[in-house]
Amino acid sequence: MSTLTTWLRDPNPASRMQSRLGQSYLSWLRLRRNPLAMIGLLITAALLFVAIFAPLLAPHDPITQELGRRLLPPGTPGNILGTDDFGRDILSRILYGSRITLYIVLLVILTAPVVGLIIGTVAGYFGGWVDTILMRITDIFLAFPKLILALALVAVLGPGMENAVLAIALTSWPPYARVSRAETLTVRSSDYIAAVKLQGAGPIRIIWGHVIPMCLPSVIIRVTLDMAGVILTAAGLGFLGLGVQPPLPEWGLMISAGRKFLFEQWWVATMPGLAIFIVSLGFNLLGDGLRDVLDPKSASK
Amino acid sequence: MGRPFSMTSTPAPSSRLIPLLRQIGGTVVTLFVTFLGLLMVTFFISNVIPVDPVLSILGERATEAQMEEARERLGLNEPLWKQFGIYVGNTLQGDLGTSIRTREPVLEEVSQRFPATLELATLATILGVLLGVPAGVIAATKPGSFFDQSTRLIGLMGYSMPVFWLGLMGLLLFYGQLGWVGGPGRLDAGYQMSLDFELTQYTGMILLDTALNNRWDMFANAFSHIILPAGILAYISMAYISRMTRSFMMNELGQEYITTARVKGMPERRVIWVHALKNVMVPLITVIALSYAYLLEGAVLTETIFAWPGLGSYITDALMVADMPAVLGGTVVVGIAYIGLNMLSDLLYRLVDPRARV
């Protein structure tokens, strides 16, 4: 172990990989000093764990109805968080719901940031009219009320998980384009880019191999900070009945089901909301910590 | 705080005015292009709907000749770009189409609903600024302190809660359990009647109207209804405003003029709340306008929870019955308000900060 840390801390790295891993190790050390960020990391890890092992962890099936056991309060033996109006175990539904949440988040972060990254780097690298047109489009999308645009899109495409993901992705790429364009502008005229250009590299190679890596840290921070927003928007669409459809255990949908008897059986709406809150808070804490570590400019001293 | 926007030190001679006017001209052009973009998107949305608009207007029993006549009348036989031109022209003239559900013009319905949303978002922004700015300033003066950490955590919690869930929990606690606030709706049912018959409605905003009519009993009732939804939106806006205030303030306190003021022996209170805050106010205007624009939109889910008869619940109600003209009309109106606020903040920024004038 100690040889590994000395290897990582070596001030004269022998290879590119060693230097990169060493940098990551130093970032990790800085992140570890931030207790809030570590809590965030823990929550995120727990979400992954629960989503993977949901069938093993859940005491009941999330879909099967058991009308004899409907609306039992929390603390009932066998149903720690109580049951909903169809007698389904709320804990099991929350555990399985983490899979849906994670699935939506993954789909969005695999599309929106990639689109934004490509648009932003191309606009920033080429400049001129390419930049003007691409950034004008970005500004138009940025000027939109996001949630309402997503609502209108889903209304047209029809409710459902895939369409909700599409609507969220279509409304969330512009900030990534902005961020990557700004980063591209700062590196575009650097000497090392000029050197690569003199060696005969084409624009695609330069953007892919030398510009995009420089944009990644800022984009990753934004992604982490945006994930909570994605979860909240997805839950909002589910709550309005426009996202994931019943009987799937989506958290927003579960809150909307519990709304009917909020004052009598408070737990049905409360529990899934707590799950959303904890998971979003986890992503926010982690994102906040990562920003301090990866982006020294905005670090709170 | 004195006069944070005091401009006495920077008179604007005509030589400065011309570039400013040119910038305003540029902003207006940008505004128009963005507006066209907004309409392009809503036009696109309304054209990919698999539903035949003629069918939804005439019903299934219409003859082929009637359908053809309606298509001609609605301009649906024209090429797409011409249809778009007609759409832009109609929107500019205030014609947002007719709601399928009520057969009323969308613009009329939207303008009836707008004051309720405006009232909610305005009160929330005022509360958010009153809480968020001082919190951000204090946090910036003592970075790392307990106060700073707690503001940060409270802010992050605000970012992490689904606003509709927060609304439900608020109702459960403050209305269901404690009975401190009025329930959903803008007024108690009893007052709702007298609203239409006894009150002169100047603005459509109940708090203002009741005050102008000297009906303080009704004002109190309206206040007990608005305070919970407004408080919840204010929490979210406070989270954003305090965070931005803190980072602007930190930046400002590192400047040399602050050191100079301190060296001259100026009381710390004055350095922070007068000198630094004055300069922080400039970027803060943008932040506040953005948060206001966001609240106009964020009110959608809150209005659903609190049965608040505003623009947001108008759009969601229309969504439920697939009344697309109403949905898109509402979207266009919110979009215009959003774009307008963005541009306004941009203009204010240039007016207030001499450095932003090129």
Side-chain angles (χ1 to χ4, degrees):
Chain A
M1 198 56 202
S2 61
T3 48
L4 180 64
T5 46
T6 32
W7 183 74
L8 285 168
R9 285 168 171 281
D10 193 347
N12 305 307
S15 69
R16 189 187 267 192
M17 195 179 74
Q18 186 183 358
S19 128
R20 274 191 192 153
L21 286 176
Q23 280 300 322
S24 317
Y25 178 69
L26 290 180
S27 301
W28 162 245
L29 288 183
R30 261 181 290 161
L31 187 69
R32 221 174 49 178
R33 280 209 307 267
N34 182 341
L36 286 182
M38 289 319 284
I39 295 175
L41 188 64
L42 211 68
I43 294 174
T44 315
L47 173 74
L48 271 174
F49 179 80
V50 166
I52 293 170
F53 297 107
L56 298 175
L57 295 168
H60 297 274
D61 185 85
I63 313 268
T64 313
Q65 302 181 2
E66 206 178 328
L67 294 174
R69 293 180 65 78
R70 59 195 297 267
L71 296 171
L72 294 175
T76 310
N79 306 95
I80 302 168
L81 297 183
T83 58
D84 68 3
D85 51 334
F86 289 110
R88 297 173 295 202
D89 180 46
I90 292 180
L91 175 67
S92 307
R93 285 177 69 74
I94 289 178
L95 293 178
Y96 272 94
S98 65
R99 295 186 149 191
I100 298 174
T101 301
L102 203 64
Y103 180 67
I104 292 176
V105 167
L106 282 180
L107 280 184
V108 172
I109 62 171
L110 284 178
T111 46
V114 177
V115 173
L117 197 59
I118 292 171
I119 290 181
T121 45
V122 167
Y125 183 75
F126 287 105
W129 60 269
V130 178
D131 185 32
T132 313
I133 291 177
L134 287 179
M135 278 303 118
R136 183 57 67 224
I137 296 175
T138 312
D139 283 345
I140 288 173
F141 270 88
L142 265 181
F144 276 146
K146 241 171 94 170
L147 180 66
I148 290 183
L149 189 64
L151 283 181
L153 274 170
V154 179
V156 174
L157 300 170
M161 176 152 49
E162 279 73 22
N163 290 340
V165 168
L166 191 65
I168 298 172
L170 271 176
T171 50
S172 53
W173 63 267
Y176 299 110
R178 272 280 183 82
V179 167
S180 16
R181 175 176 175 269
E183 293 285 331
T184 308
L185 288 181
T186 60
V187 298
R188 186 174 65 167
S189 46
S190 328
D191 289 343
Y192 83 95
I193 295 283
V196 184
K197 221 185 260 176
L198 282 177
Q199 286 173 358
I204 296 178
R205 194 190 169 83
I206 296 177
I207 290 177
W208 178 252
H210 302 276
V211 176
I212 286 187
M214 301 305 284
C215 302
L216 277 182
S218 320
V219 170
I220 289 173
I221 295 165
R222 253 227 87 108
V223 167
T224 328
L225 284 170
D226 275 359
M227 272 195 256
V230 171
I231 292 175
L232 294 185
T233 313
L237 289 175
F239 178 76
L240 291 173
L242 295 169
V244 179
Q245 296 297 302
L248 285 179
E250 199 270 328
W251 293 342
L253 198 63
M254 290 167 70
I255 297 179
S256 124
R259 193 184 159 189
K260 291 189 288 271
F261 22 84
L262 174 72
F263 295 110
E264 295 80 31
Q265 283 86 23
W266 54 271
W267 56 91
V268 185
T270 307
M271 298 305 176
L274 277 177
I276 300 177
F277 169 57
I278 292 170
V279 169
S280 317
L281 188 65
F283 279 122
N284 272 331
L285 290 174
L286 182 64
D288 222 39
L290 273 182
R291 181 178 44 195
D292 289 357
V293 169
L294 295 179
D295 185 11
K297 275 172 290 183
S298 68
S300 42
K301 283 154 240 160
Chain B
M1 303 238 294
R3 297 159 300 160
F5 302 123
S6 153
M7 304 234 310
T8 42
S9 56
T10 50
S14 57
S15 61
R16 283 233 188 109
L17 208 61
I18 289 165
L20 185 67
L21 283 179
R22 192 173 293 156
Q23 276 187 346
I24 292 175
T27 312
V28 170
V29 171
T30 319
L31 187 94
F32 190 69
V33 171
T34 318
F35 172 69
L36 275 187
L38 171 78
L39 290 187
M40 222 179 271
V41 173
T42 47
F43 179 75
F44 174 75
I45 290 177
S46 65
N47 270 280
V48 296
I49 314 177
V51 181
D52 186 350
V54 177
L55 206 61
S56 66
I57 294 170
L58 293 179
E60 286 181 13
R61 301 198 174 192
T63 62
E64 191 51 45
Q66 281 174 317
M67 307 243 307
E68 188 51 41
E69 190 269 332
R71 266 193 210 108
E72 195 62 47
R73 186 161 41 86
L74 292 169
L76 291 174
N77 289 336
E78 304 283 348
L80 218 51
W81 63 269
K82 215 166 182 176
Q83 285 189 39
F84 181 63
I86 296 171
Y87 177 62
V88 174
N90 285 345
T91 311
L92 284 177
Q93 288 167 27
D95 178 6
L96 295 174
T98 311
S99 158
I100 293 171
R101 189 179 32 157
T102 59
R103 311 264 167 191
E104 297 282 329
V106 171
L107 183 74
E108 207 166 286
E109 294 194 315
V110 163
S111 45
Q112 280 167 9
R113 299 285 202 114
F114 197 65
T117 301
L118 194 66
E119 186 173 32
L120 189 60
T122 308
L123 185 61
T125 305
I126 293 173
L127 291 175
V129 170
L130 286 181
L131 293 170
V133 173
V137 170
I138 297 174
T141 51
K142 297 181 191 120
S145 66
F146 177 72
F147 184 86
D148 182 28
Q149 299 280 5
S150 350
T151 338
R152 187 176 185 179
L153 191 62
I154 291 172
L156 279 176
M157 283 165 71
Y159 282 125
S160 312
M161 272 184 239
V163 64
F164 52 95
W165 180 73
L166 197 59
L168 288 177
M169 294 301 111
L171 274 178
L172 184 61
L173 181 65
F174 294 110
Y175 174 62
Q177 297 290 318
L178 300 168
W180 287 357
V181 299
R186 292 174 89 185
L187 284 170
D188 283 355
Y191 282 113
Q192 196 66 47
M193 293 292 283
S194 48
L195 174 69
D196 295 327
F197 296 112
E198 296 167 23
L199 220 61
T200 326
Q201 299 196 24
Y202 301 99
T203 59
M205 292 187 252
I206 292 189
L207 285 182
L208 276 179
D209 285 347
T210 47
L212 289 172
N213 280 285
N214 249 332
R215 286 290 305 269
W216 296 103
D217 54 325
M218 216 162 149
F219 179 88
N221 185 261
F223 187 77
S224 79
H225 278 269
I226 200 174
I227 190 65
L228 186 58
I232 282 166
L233 289 176
Y235 177 31
I236 295 171
S237 131
M238 183 210 77
Y240 178 54
I241 291 175
S242 69
R243 186 194 185 107
M244 298 312 282
T245 308
R246 179 185 182 276
S247 87
F248 293 147
M249 197 74 191
M250 295 275 286
N251 188 28
E252 211 58 46
L253 288 177
Q255 303 286 324
E256 282 179 354
Y257 74 93
I258 294 292
T259 319
T260 314
R262 280 180 178 150
V263 168
K264 275 160 62 182
M266 184 178 280
E268 187 65 14
R269 214 155 22 107
R270 206 177 147 74
V271 172
I272 290 164
W273 294 96
V274 179
H275 279 215
L277 190 63
K278 207 183 213 173
N279 286 301
V280 166
M281 281 321 260
V282 176
L284 259 190
I285 295 173
T286 318
V287 166
I288 292 169
L290 277 180
S291 125
Y292 193 65
Y294 175 75
L295 285 189
L296 280 182
E297 171 198 40
V300 173
L301 289 164
T302 317
E303 284 180 5
T304 321
I305 298 292
F306 288 93
W308 196 259
L311 205 50
S313 59
Y314 178 72
I315 293 176
T316 43
D317 289 350
L319 267 177
M320 295 304 151
V321 293
D323 184 356
M324 285 317 285
V327 173
L328 292 175
T331 309
V332 168
V333 171
V334 179
I336 290 173
Y338 203 83
I339 296 171
L341 277 169
N342 271 316
M343 293 290 162
L344 191 72
S345 77
D346 199 45
L347 281 179
L348 277 177
Y349 185 84
R350 284 167 209 262
L351 273 176
V352 173
D353 189 350
R355 284 169 301 182
R357 293 184 210 145
V358 184

